Amino acid sequence: MSRIDNNAFFADFNSLVSLKAQAQQDPDAALKKVAQEFEAIFINMMFKNMRSANENIGGGLFDSAQTKQYTEMMDSQLAQSLANAGGIGLAESLVRQLQGKGKDVSSAEYGALDSEASFLRNLSTLDAERVRAVAKRAAQDYTESAQQVVDAAKVKATDVAFDSPDSFVQTLWPHAQKAGEQLGVDPKAILAQAALETGWGKYPMAKTDGSPSYNLFGIKADHRWSGDKALVSTLEFKEGVAQREKAAFRAYDSFSQSFEDYADFLKNSERYQEALEAGDNAAMFAAYLQKGGYATDPNYADKITNILSSKWFKTLL
């Protein structure tokens, strides 16, 4: 392992002081170091903001004040090392701009850039706290902008809807086969049930914020579920009469997780053991699902059987 230069060590708070003197004697030589110092502080503040976001979600099992202190020390050293190794390009950009090597700009843009450049030229004369304050604000603005981009690009339930039964079957068939192997039942019956629950994937269940729940099997979020949920309107049959009601359903991160949880749900429920004993008899599997109370629709099993006889299932092996 190579030795760390004292000037590159995060705890050397005198580095900015020495840069002041160097800037007075040789501004060009000091410029790169000033830009790298600024970038290191910027990167460190980004690390700090990301760590803070993670703490809001929930810390690790062994987190403590001591581990937090050493983590901050590690982040600071890493930020310094990254800046010295090229960083994210901020230092290089500052150097080009301050040396007049940036891209050509229009006269309208030059005024704003010139005021920023004038401020940056004075970085070497600023105290450490002032520079850190500037970097903190810049890092916060950067992370907020990044979050806005993420929110704007957030996937909606309509984005994962299938435009045809063909695409639904071809895309999800491998997942159904995997679940069928785990359960020891015909994967066609599993895929047919998913088609029934979602209208061939055309009507995916959405969470309150509009994002997809990826719930293909209409599994509700009862006391056994501790994950994310989707509260939606559902059609239930009571004494043969259909009525709408609000219910909480399980939400996943992908269709693959939906199939995996479906398999676990059936395996761990005593009510569906008869269905799992149906083996390759898809019609019997559907009948025992209904008998076990999987759905309140009195025609649930017949609807699955009808889907199994559709043309889209005849090509599946």
Side-chain angles (χ1 to χ4, degrees), residues 55-108:
E55 290 175 358
N56 292 334
I57 297 174
L61 178 62
F62 301 104
D63 285 354
S64 65
Q66 288 74 24
T67 59
K68 182 179 180 180
Q69 178 183 0
Y70 283 106
T71 298
E72 290 176 352
M73 293 171 65
M74 180 190 70
D75 287 346
S76 297
Q77 182 60 63
L78 180 59
Q80 186 72 61
S81 299
L82 286 173
N84 291 341
I88 57 177
L90 178 59
E92 183 180 353
S93 178
L94 291 176
V95 171
R96 286 201 309 269
Q97 187 181 67
L98 299 184
Q99 288 181 337
K101 297 180 180 179
K103 67 175 183 177
D104 294 335
V105 295
S106 65
S107 57

Side-chain angles (χ1 to χ4, degrees), residues 229-278:
K229 302 176 183 178
L231 184 64
V232 299
S233 177
T234 181
L235 185 66
E236 300 290 350
F237 288 82
K238 294 184 177 180
E239 298 182 355
V241 179
Q243 51 186 328
R244 288 283 177 183
E245 62 179 48
K246 287 283 187 178
F249 292 82
R250 300 184 182 188
Y252 313 101
D253 295 328
S254 66
F255 289 133
S256 177
Q257 285 188 7
S258 181
F259 277 96
E260 292 171 1
D261 186 60
Y262 170 80
D264 290 337
F265 179 73
L266 294 189
K267 286 191 298 185
N268 296 322
S269 179
E270 187 65 29
R271 294 190 301 169
Y272 306 120
Q273 295 312 301
E274 285 185 308
L276 299 184
E277 294 173 0

Side-chain angles (χ1 to χ4, degrees), residues 54-182:
N54 188 57
E55 290 175 358
N56 292 334
I57 297 174
L61 178 62
F62 301 104
D63 285 354
S64 65
Q66 288 74 24
T67 59
K68 182 179 180 180
Q69 178 183 0
Y70 283 106
T71 298
E72 290 176 352
M73 293 171 65
M74 180 190 70
D75 287 346
S76 297
Q77 182 60 63
L78 180 59
Q80 186 72 61
S81 299
L82 286 173
N84 291 341
I88 57 177
L90 178 59
E92 183 180 353
S93 178
L94 291 176
V95 171
R96 286 201 309 269
Q97 187 181 67
L98 299 184
Q99 288 181 337
K101 297 180 180 179
K103 67 175 183 177
D104 294 335
V105 295
S106 65
S107 57
E109 296 172 322
Y110 183 79
L113 290 177
D114 186 57
S115 62
E116 294 175 0
S118 297
F119 172 73
L120 293 173
R121 289 191 187 95
N122 294 323
L123 279 177
S124 61
T125 66
L126 298 176
D127 60 85
E129 290 303 318
R130 176 72 184 280
V131 175
R132 284 180 172 79
V134 172
K136 179 179 180 180
R137 178 58 183 274
Q140 289 174 338
D141 290 345
Y142 178 86
T143 52
E144 289 175 1
S145 298
Q147 185 60 50
Q148 291 175 359
V149 172
V150 171
D151 290 341
K154 195 169 185 179
V155 177
K156 300 297 183 183
T158 52
D159 296 330
V160 301
F162 291 88
D163 57 4
S164 69
D166 283 308
S167 61
F168 176 86
V169 170
Q170 295 303 319
T171 301
L172 300 181
W173 175 235
H175 299 295
Q177 288 178 300
K178 184 177 178 180
E181 291 179 3
Q182 294 176 354

Side-chain angles (χ1 to χ4, degrees), residues 3-25:
R3 179 177 176 273
I4 297 177
D5 192 310
N6 285 336
N7 290 331
F9 184 51
F10 79 91
D12 183 14
F13 296 111
N14 293 322
S15 59
L16 289 180
V17 176
S18 64
L19 282 174
K20 291 182 185 179
Q22 186 177 2
Q24 294 174 354
Q25 297 173 3

Side-chain angles (χ1 to χ4, degrees), residues 173 176-181 185-192 280 308 313 317:
W173 175 235
Q177 288 178 300
K178 184 177 178 180
E181 291 179 3
V185 301
D186 188 346
K188 294 181 184 178
I190 296 175
L191 190 58
D280 293 334
L308 282 167
F313 278 78
L317 299 178

